Amino acid sequence: MGIISRGFGGRRRESVPGLPPGQYLTHDFPVLSAGPTPRIPLDRWRFTITTETGEKTSWNWAEFQALPAEDVTVDIHCVTKWSKLGTTWRGVSLDTLLENVESAADYTMVHSFGGYTTNVPMEDLLDGKAWVAYKFDGEDLQPEHGGPARLVVPHLYFWKSAKWVNGLQLMPEDEPGFWEAAGYHMYGDPWHEQRYQGD
């Protein structure tokens, strides 16, 4: 008589109503990165916005910390299919950072220490939709989660919320960033399962 095996099914995943399609709930905070984790000394940290005409506006860490901050609680959704609900962040709204920047750009390229890039339409960064966050769950943001500061754009898949963020390039036309050039979707809406090109 043969032995019947159903195989290894892995850890049971909790499916919750109200999650984007294809997502499962996680209670931990998985760490996924395209390369090694940079350790950025705060005296070397700088965030720079460059307009389509080359005008630059930048803040060092002390100047950035002096800007008005917001506490937000949002759900986050990773392209690898995990979702984490009710995450709490403290950071500076992109509305604040872009308030005195003159631009007609419709698109942006987000830049990070280590060379990572991702494209995000300008309208997805404004009107209280995005922050440069430096605290998570009341604590300083740890390097493995993008500290000292990361972009948080919770309505898009989490690869758009670039870790170790250091700048924003404003652009008249959309261009692919790191993962987009490798086949990920140019926009990345989790509610439409826009994981890969053609989705």
Side-chain angles (χ1 to χ4, degrees), residues 6-72:
R6 294 191 178 138
F8 177 70
R11 187 180 353 165
R12 185 178 182 145
R13 295 178 171 175
E14 185 178 352
S15 181
V16 174
L19 288 181
Q23 297 291 112
Y24 69 90
L25 183 64
T26 186
H27 297 286
D28 55 1
F29 197 164
V31 175
L32 302 168
S33 299
T37 298
R39 309 285 172 172
I40 301 109
L42 296 182
D43 63 355
R44 287 188 51 234
W45 187 90
R46 181 168 288 276
F47 185 83
T48 302
I49 297 175
T50 306
T51 70
E52 65 274 30
T53 62
E55 294 292 318
K56 294 182 185 294
T57 305
S58 67
W59 298 264
N60 64 27
W61 188 253
E63 293 165 339
F64 179 74
Q65 294 282 297
L67 294 171
E70 299 178 8
D71 294 307
V72 294

Side-chain angles (χ1 to χ4, degrees), residues 91-182:
V92 179
S93 168
L94 266 292
D95 295 301
T96 298
L97 294 168
L98 289 162
E99 184 175 30
N100 295 314
V101 174
E102 290 189 31
S103 174
D106 290 326
Y107 299 96
T108 71
M109 185 67 72
V110 183
H111 292 266
S112 297
F113 289 93
Y116 179 80
T117 58
T118 190
N119 62 315
V120 182
M122 180 71 85
E123 67 182 351
D124 288 280
L125 298 178
L126 299 175
D127 299 322
K129 295 179 193 164
W131 300 264
V132 174
Y134 53 87
K135 286 190 180 287
F136 172 73
D137 203 17
E139 303 290 333
D140 289 344
L141 187 59
Q142 294 302 303
E144 63 268 20
H145 292 303
R150 79 175 296 155
L151 186 66
V152 176
V153 189
H155 66 282
L156 299 178
Y157 279 124
F158 213 46
W159 91 79
K160 296 290 187 177
S161 294
K163 296 180 179 182
W164 316 297
V165 69
N166 69 359
L168 197 65
Q169 177 185 351
L170 310 186
M171 309 181 303
E173 304 291 331
D174 201 7
E175 295 177 18
F178 178 85
W179 284 118
E180 296 83 12

